[in-house]
Amino acid sequence: QNPIFYLVLLGGGYETFMRFYDPLGHAPPNYYGITSGQRAAITGGYFGLAGALFAAMAWNKQNMKTPEQLQRQSIEMTFYD
């Protein structure tokens, strides 16, 4: 029902088709020619991002409140205003 979904689907389908049927012409000239140091930096960045996301999920889990706590807090805030 959402037209944006279909636009994303069409764009992704086109990209996938181009990667399978024109693999060398679609990528920039030096896309695969990176050094080992650059490859290690990119890998480290991805692992760092994954670690930060897991840490944020753990922090969020510790600070979650139940619906009852949120309701109580909302009621208390109305009394202080």
Side-chain angles (χ1 to χ4, degrees):
Q1 299 283 343
N2 191 348
I4 295 174
F5 171 76
Y6 295 114
L7 290 174
V8 171
L9 186 68
L10 284 173
Y14 174 76
E15 281 293 317
T16 302
F17 178 81
M18 291 306 290
R19 286 180 190 211
F20 279 117
Y21 291 104
D22 189 21
L24 298 178
H26 193 62
N30 292 328
Y31 183 75
Y32 294 106
I34 63 174
T35 64
S36 297
Q38 291 171 326
R39 206 173 295 237
I42 292 169
T43 303
Y46 274 116
F47 278 109
L49 177 62
L53 290 173
F54 280 120
M57 284 176 23
W59 178 80
N60 188 34
K61 186 141 180 88
Q62 287 177 348
N63 296 319
M64 279 197 304
K65 295 180 179 178
T66 64
E68 291 81 19
Q69 289 173 324
L70 290 172
Q71 218 170 25
R72 235 177 311 160
Q73 183 180 6
S74 175
I75 291 171
E76 289 172 2
M77 294 295 281
T78 57
F79 286 135
Y80 291 126
D81 288 341

